[in-house]
Amino acid sequence: MRTIPEHLAAVLATATPLPPVRVDVRAAHGLTLAADSPARLPVPPFTNSAMDGFLVHSADLEGGAPWTLPVVADVPAGAAPVPLERGSALRIMTGAPVAGDPELLRVIPVEDTDIAPGPGALPAEVTIRDLRPARTHIRRAGENIAVGEPALVAGTVLDAGGVAAAVSCGITEVEAHPRPRVAVISSGDELLEPGVTPGPGQLPDSNRVMLAALLAEHGITQVTDVHCGDGPGGFRELIDALSADHDLVLTTGGVSVGAFDVVREVIEPAGVWFGTVAQRPCQHQGAGTWNGVPLVCLPGNPVAAFVSFLLYVPPLLQTLAGRTPQRPQVTALLTGDGLPARPDRTLLAPVRVTYTEVGVMATPFDRRVGSHLVASLADTHALAVVPPGGERLVAGDPVRVLLRLG
């Protein structure tokens, strides 16, 4: 019997990062960068004002306040820089260019003058009533980043801030690992399309839509989800076809030791591992490769499939996407009826997480922990982890919680 870390390591060993591609930065949000991207523009691109106010020469503010200077021009944002002569002032807006040596100049915020803030005609003169010597309120060209310095670093995920940084630095394309293309196969003659009324012994095929939705939560946009019956010939043809044009194949059902477990019947003879992992629910697992493509075989019971996905698939997606797998987790306080401890297996219970002034609270999804309790999965955010061999956890006890998204 494998431990959870041992099985996770075996799952991750099936994958390597997908080859990088060049991507328009506007389409690269959420991708992992495969190479550094140097800045093509400095930030700021030019020396500019950090405040709405008046640009003056520092040398004109000698002695004590107040100081009165004639105002010779306006410099709004987007205008060309205006040279400033000694003994005069320019009314300048935030982001407007500053001409001349910033060592000799400073911007006086409008609040420190006798001019009312807001729209108005260009005043003939301005009286400066206060001076804040610690700051000149001038942003120098390139003070954030210079041309040629790395603006985006390999291995990081391009988030919204990264997109803004790229555009500001003149970067239009990045080299990144693409999102994996994932195929989902649900197996079993008993499964029906959503919306079809089940007959005797039949069930709605909830796993297929659930796994597709979980993949979407992790940014996977290219998902093929199909159903296959219990015939080994049809399953083999299907997995051969899907592994030819996908980067990951997930199956659900057929991994145990039943007489009609078609997934295990077809795949295990080819060298894919099937066995038990020291966890409840979903001790039966499978993992390996098929035609060189990573393959993860999840249990068929819905809660078991849900828990197994959260344990093993997100780290695998991160590996394919060029990231170092990370497991976001917190310590929460248990509420509700508590959770039992198993003697030799880790218990994994879906929980609803709330963030309060007291701390993070975790409420089990049901009074029981069963792999068939799919109707209780709604609005579950995480997995509570109860180590083996301990005492039952009760309300108020701390519990380690693996968060659903990271």
Side-chain angles (χ1 to χ4, degrees), residues 8-394:
L8 176 59
V11 169
L12 297 183
T14 66
T16 56
L18 299 176
V21 294
R22 297 293 297 178
V23 187
D24 186 294
V25 71
R26 293 169 294 183
H29 179 252
L31 299 185
T32 305
L33 302 178
D36 292 354
S37 294
R40 302 180 65 183
L41 296 173
V43 177
F46 51 85
T47 300
N48 65 90
S49 175
M51 301 288 285
D52 295 325
F54 293 85
L55 180 67
V56 300
H57 281 269
S58 297
D60 288 333
L61 305 181
E62 296 178 350
W67 302 272
T68 300
L69 298 169
V71 180
V72 296
D74 265 328
V75 191
V82 177
L84 176 64
E85 300 292 334
R86 282 285 308 273
S88 59
L90 296 171
R91 186 168 67 171
I92 195 167
M93 302 298 108
T94 302
V98 170
D101 186 350
E103 292 284 347
L104 306 177
L105 303 169
R106 66 189 316 115
V107 173
I108 307 300
V110 66
E111 295 86 354
D112 295 338
T113 74
D114 66 338
I115 304 300
L122 183 70
E125 60 181 22
V126 59
T127 296
I128 300 166
R129 298 180 298 204
D130 189 24
L131 178 63
R132 307 178 197 182
R135 303 190 65 178
T136 65
H137 302 297
I138 294 176
R139 306 164 177 155
R140 297 169 182 256
E143 70 176 30
N144 183 199
I145 194 169
V147 172
E149 292 181 345
L152 305 173
V153 180
T156 58
V157 179
L158 190 65
D159 57 9
V163 172
V167 171
S168 297
C169 293
I171 299 168
T172 58
E173 286 187 337
V174 294
E175 190 171 345
H177 300 281
R179 292 179 177 88
R181 302 163 297 171
V182 183
V184 175
I185 307 173
S186 63
S187 66
D189 287 342
E190 74 278 15
L191 300 179
L192 297 174
E193 288 292 323
V196 178
T197 301
Q202 296 180 319
L203 298 168
D205 188 359
S206 61
N207 280 352
R208 182 154 52 102
V209 294
M210 176 182 70
L211 295 179
L214 286 168
L215 288 165
E217 290 180 0
H218 288 270
I220 306 302
T221 56
Q222 298 184 65
V223 178
T224 302
D225 62 281
V226 295
H227 171 256
C228 183
D230 288 328
F235 180 78
R236 182 182 294 274
E237 291 179 3
L238 183 59
I239 195 170
D240 280 341
L242 291 173
S243 61
D245 57 5
H246 289 79
D247 305 303
L248 169 63
V249 177
L250 304 178
T251 70
T252 174
V255 300
S256 188
V257 291
F260 299 97
D261 283 339
V262 64
V263 174
R264 187 167 188 170
E265 176 186 353
V266 171
I267 294 176
E268 190 172 32
V272 175
W273 180 88
F274 284 87
T276 56
V277 179
Q279 62 183 69
R280 287 285 186 174
C282 53
Q283 67 174 352
H284 294 288
Q285 301 286 335
T289 60
W290 190 264
N291 296 330
V293 175
L295 171 67
V296 178
C297 302
L298 307 175
N301 281 313
V303 175
F306 180 84
V307 169
S308 297
F309 180 99
L310 296 186
L311 279 179
Y312 303 116
V313 178
L316 181 57
L317 295 173
Q318 293 174 338
T319 299
L320 289 167
R323 306 177 197 172
T324 300
Q326 295 184 339
R327 178 75 73 188
Q329 54 189 286
V330 297
T331 298
L333 298 179
L334 195 64
T335 69
D337 294 325
L339 290 170
R342 303 293 183 182
D344 58 352
R345 288 171 171 80
T346 298
L347 178 72
L348 301 149
V351 292
R352 297 177 177 91
V353 174
T354 53
Y355 299 88
T356 72
E357 293 182 357
V358 177
V360 184
M361 315 300 288
T363 304
F365 75 132
D366 197 276
R367 294 183 65 183
R368 302 163 292 168
V369 180
S371 58
H372 65 294
L373 302 174
V374 61
S376 299
L377 278 181
D379 199 35
T380 51
H381 314 107
L383 297 178
V385 181
V386 183
E391 299 292 328
R392 177 184 178 88
L393 298 183
V394 299

